[in-house]
Amino acid sequence: MPGDLRVLGACPLDCPDTCSWVVTVEHGRPVSLRGNPDHPYTRGALCVKVNRYLEHTRADDRVLHPLRRTGPKGSGRFERITWEEALDEISVRLRGIVEEHGGEAIWPYLGTGSLGYLQGCEGVAGRRFWNMLGASKHYLNICSGAGNSGLRRTTGTAAGMDPENFALARLIVLWGTNTLTSGHHLWKFIQEARAGGAYVVAIDPIRTRTADQADEHLAIRPGTDAALALGLLNVVLAENAQDEEFLAEHTEGWDDFREEILRHPVERVAGITGISAEAVHRLGIRLARTRPTALRATHGLQRHAGGGTALRTIAAIPGVTGDWRHPGGGIAFSTSDHVHLAVDRRDDLLARPVRTRVMTKLASQLDDVKCLWVYAANPAGSSPDANAIKRQLAREDLFTVVMEQFSTDTVDYADIVLPATMQTEHMDLHAGYGHLYLLWNEPAGPPPGECLSTTETFRRLARHMGMTEPSLYDSDVELAEQLLSSGHPSLEGISLDRLRKEGWVRMNYPRPFAPFADGFPTPSGRLRFPPAKEAYVPPHAVRAAGSSPYRLTLITPASHLFLNTTFGNNPELRRRAKDPVVLVNPADAAERGLAGGQRVRVHNDGGEFLADVEISDRVAAGVVASPKGRWPKLTPGGANPNVVVAERDGDMGRGPAFHDNLVEISPV
Ligand SMILES: Nc1nc2c(c(=O)[nH]1)N[C@H]1C(S)=C(S)[C@@H](COP(=O)(O)OP(=O)(O)OC[C@H]3O[C@@H](n4cnc5c(=O)[nH]c(N)nc54)[C@H](O)[C@@H]3O)O[C@H]1N2
Ligand SMILES: Nc1nc2c(c(=O)[nH]1)N[C@H]1C(S)=C(S)[C@@H](COP(=O)(O)OP(=O)(O)OC[C@H]3O[C@@H](n4cnc5c(=O)[nH]c(N)nc54)[C@H](O)[C@@H]3O)O[C@H]1N2
Ligand code: SF4
Ligand SMILES: [Mo]
């Protein structure tokens, strides 16, 4: 239509694909939102969740005004107040807490609701303001702490392959990743590789929709992937297929690691992983003979007691085969470490060093906290030990502020709720963690009601509290310019003007891209093989077996229809998701006398959630599965699987063990 406006934006959600989208605006109002056909990674497609994003921005349960609690904590009863009243009350409470208990009694709890560098968790997002008050720091470990840490130990960075180069691979291993659900745009590149003859293997305790589409599925015992990596390398050595030149020039610790590999013949590995020795051998042979081999290993396999180690050891595989030489070889976990934006949180504004609170430890680290400030997070639905969190959130001496778009379970416990903008209503700068593009998100229309962006909320609060530090008042455009000014070669020539005009720009990495063909960003420049004794850490489920009354390992993977708890309130997606199910192997169902469709309690010492049994050989005996993402209050029984997830650290990066919890299943 003449006069229509096309506004380019980016999907802000915590998904590797960070899609480029096009919003059509008529008469100042966004009327459609579609995947950008020009973007090389998005290629015109969004996903089943975000196709409804515009509709979601207009949902009836959108928070549109500041609210003050009127009922007991948890009741979700509020009255509407003005921004002025909200800022007054917040200022008084924050000042009082700082005076009486010190700034560290404030915990700014920032989640992954948006990955924006301005409004979300990747950037400054209020930290300058918090530094003025001396608030505790927040360690956002909930998602990828373990994997990042494991990879960095081996290759010096968590960044690996350019996912687009999967098209060049001849063997593709989808390892602890549900591509078609949790970041489906990679699939087009996998299909390109297949057209060139590539073989695709999925390694997953669940036969997922991705495993269905692979050429082969290996149903691994949860948390045993590092042992499988050693077994595969055992076959590579037996075939004498190691790349001696690469080993000599670009690695260290080989002798020790080699001994550990030799201690893992396929029969032993079969015993640990539950995969037949024959299947381990077969994949080992493929790995030995196929260059390049691309490993897509993502978050699923690091949500275990030994999750960091799993990534650490798997990242060693291309060091042995020499796959890092080839653009279509290596490992892709996350591209985040390829992003070199200049995030300046202004830690110099802190009067003295402050402690750090750990995101997944909300239940146990909240005791001496007096103000919990939640933004872009929904801990009552997404964090471990959800029942304990709710007990903490109910504390009368805790002042809780939640900046939100929707009235989540966490909002129900807030003293003050501040209405937040959605992506079509604010500016932001994005990078993906599954590709190498920067994206600009231009607002497509005004916010509804009195919603404010994260940046604007903190500017207003700083002004209200009389703070004079100039950097607190940097505009969104100024912040974006600062981000692009790191001087890193990957950003050369990428000005804000250009980014705004073009909508997205690929960072300056070659195409095709073999990031470590000439060495690694470690102190020695070499890939560091894991020390023998640290190459495999068994899962909690194995270590606790025998001593625990609970005998089933629960996996709570990404839901196809929700994104973490985002969209958990969307009527259409909820309708399609139906009631929660738990997948149970026929043998486990028979042993417990469970029938298909029967409603059961899935429980352990942390609590219980309700689900309907789906008897299925998609899970092996001993493994049960129920996806994450439901809103507890909209779920039968009022709980989601996070009540049975223990607040237990994995081996590295304080990674939480979402897929490593023992439960039992009983009839209701
Ligand atoms: N639709 C949708 N997409 C999402 C999300 C969502 O909630 N919904 N969440 C987003 C976020 S925040 C993230 S971090 C990513 C997560 O996406 P993924 O990285 O795909 O992580 P998960 O879904 O947790 O697990 C992926 C697969 O790993 C398997 N798995 C579990 N334990 C093991 C193991 O020990 N070994 C192996 N080999 N496999 C194992 C699970 O069964 C699952 O099929 O997806 C993002 N994309
Ligand atoms: N059982 C189980 N639980 C898991 C996982 C698992 O595998 N299993 N995975 C974990 C993972 S990988 C992750 S990343 C975490 C995610 O956990 P969280 O970081 O808590 O993410 P969400 O649950 O999606 O909640 C994000 C909230 O932010 C809000 N929001 C979105 N954008 C904005 C914004 O711009 N401003 C403000 N103020 N709010 C905004 C949304 O409305 C939403 O309610 O969940 C973890 N939880
Ligand atoms: S959730 Fe992922 S796949 Fe869906 S639109 Fe956003 S970035 Fe794209
Ligand atoms: Mo995540």
Side-chain angles (χ1 to χ4, degrees):
M1 246 169 78
D4 284 6
L5 197 64
R6 274 175 91 248
V7 178
L8 292 184
C11 176
L13 300 176
D14 186 353
C15 164
D17 296 359
T18 306
C19 288
S20 170
W21 71 35
V22 186
V23 185
T24 307
V25 178
E26 287 174 15
H27 312 295
R29 202 180 132 84
V31 293
S32 80
L33 182 154
R34 304 245 184 285
N36 186 349
D38 302 328
H39 190 281
Y41 205 76
T42 305
R43 298 193 188 177
L46 297 174
C47 65
V48 63
K49 313 171 292 292
V50 177
N51 287 336
R52 300 178 184 283
Y53 194 84
L54 268 190
E55 169 191 309
H56 202 48
T57 65
R58 296 175 188 135
D60 295 337
D61 56 345
R62 189 80 196 263
V63 177
L64 296 174
H65 307 280
L67 304 171
R68 179 197 285 133
R69 181 166 65 88
T70 54
K73 292 202 174 197
S75 68
R77 289 212 297 276
F78 297 101
E79 62 182 358
R80 181 174 163 182
I81 55 175
T82 65
W83 266 103
E84 195 63 18
E85 288 170 307
L87 294 176
D88 272 343
E89 180 159 343
I90 289 168
S91 304
V92 170
R93 294 296 299 265
L94 287 181
R95 270 202 209 93
I97 288 167
V98 171
E99 263 165 44
E100 199 178 329
H101 306 280
E104 285 172 308
I106 303 168
W107 183 349
Y109 189 97
L110 173 58
T112 64
S114 161
L115 298 189
Y117 277 80
L118 303 181
Q119 314 303 344
C121 68
E122 294 285 7
V124 177
R127 192 59 229 180
R128 294 175 180 181
F129 172 82
W130 296 121
N131 284 346
M132 296 293 294
L133 295 180
S136 290
K137 290 195 181 176
H138 173 73
Y139 177 41
L140 206 163
N141 63 326
I142 199 163
C143 179
S144 52
N148 284 333
S149 181
L151 285 162
R152 286 176 191 147
R153 286 183 207 209
T154 300
T155 56
T157 167
M161 289 179 67
D162 178 351
E164 290 181 41
N165 288 346
F166 270 62
L168 306 172
R170 287 300 167 265
L171 172 62
I172 292 176
V173 181
L174 302 174
W175 203 328
T177 188
N178 187 2
T179 307
L180 287 172
T181 283
S182 53
H184 73 84
H185 292 79
L186 181 66
W187 198 254
K188 299 196 190 70
F189 299 90
I190 293 173
Q191 290 296 64
E192 271 178 47
R194 275 182 147 171
Y199 190 80
V200 180
V201 180
I203 303 174
D204 196 309
I206 306 175
R207 198 170 76 241
T208 59
R209 66 175 71 215
T210 305
D212 278 339
Q213 298 297 317
D215 296 303
E216 189 176 346
H217 169 225
L218 301 183
I220 193 167
R221 190 168 289 143
T224 63
D225 301 271
L228 176 61
L230 293 168
L232 296 174
L233 288 174
N234 188 286
V235 181
V236 170
L237 292 190
E239 292 289 294
N240 203 23
Q242 67 277 18
D243 185 332
E244 293 289 359
E245 194 186 295
F246 194 84
L247 285 166
E249 278 176 25
H250 296 304
T251 71
E252 63 192 25
W254 174 234
D255 290 345
D256 184 40
F257 187 55
R258 186 174 168 278
E259 292 302 312
E260 190 62 12
I261 293 171
L262 294 176
R263 279 190 284 271
H264 284 82
V266 292
E267 295 74 22
R268 178 174 176 208
V269 168
I272 299 172
T273 61
I275 302 171
S276 72
E278 195 240 320
V280 177
H281 186 255
R282 219 173 36 232
L283 182 56
I285 294 284
R286 282 188 195 279
L287 180 63
R289 298 184 185 164
T290 321
R291 304 277 75 76
T293 288
L295 310 175
R296 175 66 167 168
T298 62
H299 304 76
L301 55 78
Q302 46 115 59
R303 308 203 201 286
H304 291 271
T309 299
L311 268 302
R312 181 188 204 179
T313 300
I314 290 170
I317 293 176
V320 180
T321 59
D323 269 308
W324 287 120
R325 290 179 189 280
H326 315 287
I331 176 170
F333 173 71
S334 157
T335 52
S336 294
D337 280 0
H338 284 306
V339 181
H340 297 279
L341 293 165
V343 177
D344 188 1
R345 301 192 173 91
R346 294 296 309 271
D347 279 352
D348 59 302
L349 299 175
L350 279 168
R352 55 179 187 81
V354 292
R355 70 181 181 188
T356 298
R357 301 266 99 162
V358 178
M359 183 167 179
T360 53
K361 300 273 164 183
L362 188 55
S364 63
Q365 294 191 345
L366 203 65
D367 283 340
D368 58 354
V369 170
K370 300 295 174 192
C371 171
L372 178 71
W373 188 289
V374 180
Y375 51 139
N378 186 10
S382 281
S383 290
D385 209 352
N387 281 336
I389 287 177
K390 287 186 182 173
R391 287 194 292 273
Q392 281 277 17
L393 293 179
R395 257 172 47 202
E396 274 305 324
D397 68 319
L398 181 70
F399 177 57
T400 302
V401 178
V402 181
M403 294 162 72
E404 248 302 348
Q405 301 162 338
F406 295 97
S407 46
T408 62
D409 288 78
T410 306
V411 162
D412 288 349
Y413 289 85
D415 293 284
I416 300 280
V417 186
L418 299 177
T421 46
M422 291 181 72
Q423 187 76 346
T424 44
E425 302 148 11
H426 58 220
M427 260 181 204
D428 216 335
L429 176 63
H430 287 264
Y433 65 95
H435 59 57
L436 295 173
Y437 300 86
L438 298 181
L439 297 93
W440 179 253
N441 180 73
E442 190 71 22
E450 296 178 283
C451 296
L452 292 183
S453 67
T454 308
T455 46
E456 183 58 19
T457 301
F458 283 106
R459 282 189 290 259
R460 292 207 188 175
L461 188 54
R463 194 168 296 122
H464 207 85
M465 293 183 73
M467 293 178 182
T468 54
E469 161 58 35
S471 70
L472 299 175
Y473 301 100
D474 288 347
S475 69
D476 289 1
V477 165
E478 284 165 337
L479 288 168
E481 277 166 347
Q482 289 164 22
L483 284 161
L484 291 166
S485 70
S486 69
H488 192 271
S490 63
L491 301 178
E492 202 184 306
I494 307 179
S495 65
L496 183 58
D497 279 351
R498 176 174 168 208
L499 194 55
R500 281 185 94 163
K501 199 172 306 146
E502 299 176 15
W504 53 269
V505 177
R506 185 176 159 101
M507 293 180 287
N508 302 318
Y509 291 107
R511 210 185 206 146
F513 183 33
F516 313 131
D518 302 316
F520 294 84
T522 55
S524 62
R526 291 165 176 267
L527 177 145
R528 295 173 295 209
F529 286 117
K533 288 200 182 63
E534 298 173 29
Y536 169 55
V537 174
H540 170 76
V542 166
R543 290 191 274 183
S547 64
S548 168
Y550 308 108
R551 291 184 301 133
L552 301 166
T553 295
L554 173 68
I555 294 180
T556 58
S559 151
H560 197 68
L561 297 166
F562 307 126
L563 199 131
N564 295 320
T565 65
T566 302
F567 303 118
N569 57 330
N570 182 280
E572 175 58 17
L573 293 170
R574 281 183 64 206
R575 188 186 66 74
R576 293 173 65 161
K578 306 200 181 80
D579 278 346
V581 295
V582 57
L583 293 184
V584 184
N585 179 274
D588 290 322
E591 190 187 326
R592 290 163 183 78
L594 305 172
Q598 182 180 356
R599 180 144 300 176
V600 290
R601 301 162 46 229
V602 181
H603 58 100
N604 63 20
D605 293 342
E608 67 176 47
F609 68 95
L610 303 183
D612 297 337
V613 170
E614 184 177 325
I615 298 177
S616 170
D617 65 0
R618 287 185 177 274
V619 289
V623 179
V624 294
S626 192
K628 65 176 172 177
R630 304 227 174 213
W631 280 25
K633 62 179 168 181
L634 301 180
T635 302
N640 74 12
N642 288 48
V643 298
V644 296
V645 172
E647 200 198 60
R648 204 173 345 96
D649 280 346
D651 55 344
M652 289 177 199
R654 309 207 66 166
F658 285 113
H659 302 337
D660 195 1
N661 292 278
L662 288 169
V663 296
E664 257 314 321
I665 296 188
S666 316
V668 168

